[in-house]
Each structure stands twice: as structure tokens, then as C-alpha cells.
Amino acid sequence: MSRTESAVDLAFGDDGLVTIVAQDASSGAVLMVAHASPEAVERTHETGLAHYHSRSRDELWQKGESSGHVQHVEEIRVDCDGDALLYRVSQEGGACHTGHESCFYRTLDGETVGERVFDPDAVYE
Amino acid sequence: MSRTESAVDLAFGDDGLVTIVAQDASSGAVLMVAHASPEAVERTHETGLAHYHSRSRDELWQKGESSGHVQHVEEIRVDCDGDALLYRVSQEGGACHTGHESCFYRTLDGETVGERVFDPDAVYE
């Protein structure tokens, strides 16, 4: 458990991270789930641009830094036990590396229900 | 990594769980973040009622089993890498044990923005 600069105490896990849900503030669409370190939360709070901590690369990461698909954070909410945050964002382009608006573009039964908003081959090398 | 009965492969973590986001299907409100085992996902899929796996009690848990505040699951979505699911639900009562509709009832700055929809003292012993 450690703290970041906020009025609400956050409960970072054994891995030093909290879970983040990013939601489109206008449409309400749930865009993605990722994780954040205290530094990522602080950078998000300070800059108004969504930052995360990549578990696979073990590093701070600004969403859209290379793709341009940044998330402008309108509000950060905290859940009751402080181990999950909700970033309410305005998303440029799409949130998913597959080109979809949301990472949740499929049902459990395999049906594609989400919209593809960009061509990933044109965005990622 | 293990699989559950679905058309989409799920990527359960080292702890055997996936992350679940529950969202109100009508209002779009993000209600809570929790976790699910393969059994919890299967029970949710089969019964249409949201099930989770409690990490603190290490057991299967049906939301609302004691409070009556069940979640009727209208759709289950999977994210791009299969380690997070979105339960789109119709929530009876409120999702949060504090009596709020959503566990995300506060901003990071400590402002209460969510609605209290029940008295927890009247629901939980």
C-alpha cells in the first residue's frame, strides 16, 4: 500500500499498481482496462492526458504517445476501496490497438459488436 | 492460462482470475471492478446473474446473494487480449456496499459525485 497526491487514499496492490477503467465521457462506452502506478496517476492528474503503467514492459506509458490516439481525461473517479480508478475521457481515434473504438469489441460468444475506427496497419509500424 | 466454455479464448492470470468491469446497460454507468474465475464466468453465462470470485475469501460469489442486489447480465464482452470482461447488467438496488449506485461515487479529489440509492445498515447485518 502506498499513497499518491490525492484527497482520497489509494490502495496500490503488491505489484504497486491500481486497476484503471477508461470510459468515454460522452458515449459512456467502456474503452479499456489497464493499470497505473502512483507516478502514472500523478502524471494523468497533472497533465490531463491518460497515463498507465505497462506490466509487460514495466514502464510508464502515455496512451497515444506513438499513435496519436491520446485520451483527454475529464474526470478521475476512485472506487470504494481505492484499488480501482475510472478515467472519464475524450478519446482521439480509437482506444484499441486492433483499430476498434473499444477493446471490448467482441461478446464472449465471439460476435463482433464494436466499431473499427482506424486501420492499425496505418498507425503502428 | 486456462479456458472456459466460450467462443473467445480467455487469458486467466497467474491467480486464475480475469478482471471484470460491471456496467449498467441502460445508463452506461460503470458500477464496479471485481474478478472472476472460470467457474464464475461459466455460472454468469449459464444463469444470467453476475458471479465473481472473491480474492479475500477465495470463493465463488453471486452478487446480491445476501443483499438481494443482483445483477441481471444482458451481455458479456471480452477485451482484445482476453484478460478482462465487461458485464453489461441491469442492477437491482445499488452495486456498492456503501449504498451508492456505483462503487465509483467519488472523484480523486474527494468530491462525492455518485448517488446513494440504499441504506447499507438496513441491508447488511
Side-chain angles (χ1 to χ4, degrees):
Chain A
M1 310 269 282
S2 61
R3 294 185 179 190
T4 187
E5 288 300 324
S6 71
V8 175
D9 282 349
L10 298 185
F12 292 93
D14 291 341
D15 58 1
L17 306 175
V18 287
T19 302
I20 307 287
V21 179
Q23 177 181 39
D24 189 292
S26 330
S27 71
V30 173
L31 300 174
M32 56 188 278
V33 168
H35 297 83
S37 60
E39 186 184 4
V41 175
E42 282 169 24
R43 292 288 288 274
T44 301
H45 203 208
E46 284 164 15
T47 64
L49 292 171
H51 287 71
Y52 301 94
H53 187 90
S54 166
R55 292 189 296 180
S56 55
R57 299 190 308 274
D58 192 22
E59 65 181 21
L60 182 74
W61 162 63
Q62 184 203 306
K63 173 70 181 166
E65 198 166 23
S66 56
S67 67
H69 294 177
V70 300
Q71 295 174 333
H72 302 276
V73 178
E74 300 185 3
E75 190 179 55
I76 305 177
R77 294 191 190 168
V78 186
D79 80 346
C80 51
D81 53 7
D83 64 359
L85 301 183
L86 178 65
Y87 287 176
R88 290 180 47 85
V89 308
S90 168
Q91 171 76 57
E92 304 243 2
C96 189
H97 73 287
T98 62
H100 291 86
E101 177 201 16
S102 163
C103 294
F104 295 94
Y105 62 91
R106 298 170 299 174
T107 68
L108 190 63
D109 300 321
E111 187 191 352
T112 295
V113 290
E115 192 188 355
R116 178 166 265 177
V117 291
F118 70 90
D119 175 3
D121 291 338
V123 171
Y124 301 104
E125 287 172 11
Chain B
M1 308 270 282
S2 61
R3 291 186 180 191
T4 188
E5 290 298 325
S6 71
V8 175
D9 283 348
L10 298 186
F12 292 93
D14 292 340
D15 58 2
L17 306 176
V18 286
T19 301
I20 308 287
V21 179
Q23 178 182 37
D24 188 291
S26 328
S27 71
V30 173
L31 300 174
M32 56 188 278
V33 168
H35 297 83
S37 60
E39 186 185 4
V41 175
E42 281 169 27
R43 292 288 289 274
T44 301
H45 204 208
E46 283 164 17
T47 64
L49 292 172
H51 287 70
Y52 301 94
H53 187 90
S54 166
R55 291 189 298 181
S56 54
R57 299 190 308 273
D58 192 21
E59 67 181 20
L60 183 73
W61 162 62
Q62 184 204 305
K63 173 70 181 165
E65 198 166 24
S66 57
S67 66
H69 295 177
V70 299
Q71 294 175 333
H72 303 276
V73 178
E74 299 185 4
E75 190 179 55
I76 305 176
R77 293 192 190 167
V78 187
D79 80 345
C80 50
D81 53 7
D83 64 359
L85 301 184
L86 178 64
Y87 288 176
R88 289 179 48 84
V89 309
S90 168
Q91 171 76 57
E92 305 243 4
C96 188
H97 73 287
T98 61
H100 292 85
E101 177 200 17
S102 162
C103 293
F104 295 95
Y105 62 91
R106 296 171 300 173
T107 68
L108 190 63
D109 299 319
E111 187 191 352
T112 295
V113 290
E115 193 187 354
R116 179 166 263 176
V117 292
F118 70 90
D119 175 2
D121 291 336
V123 170
Y124 302 104
E125 289 170 12

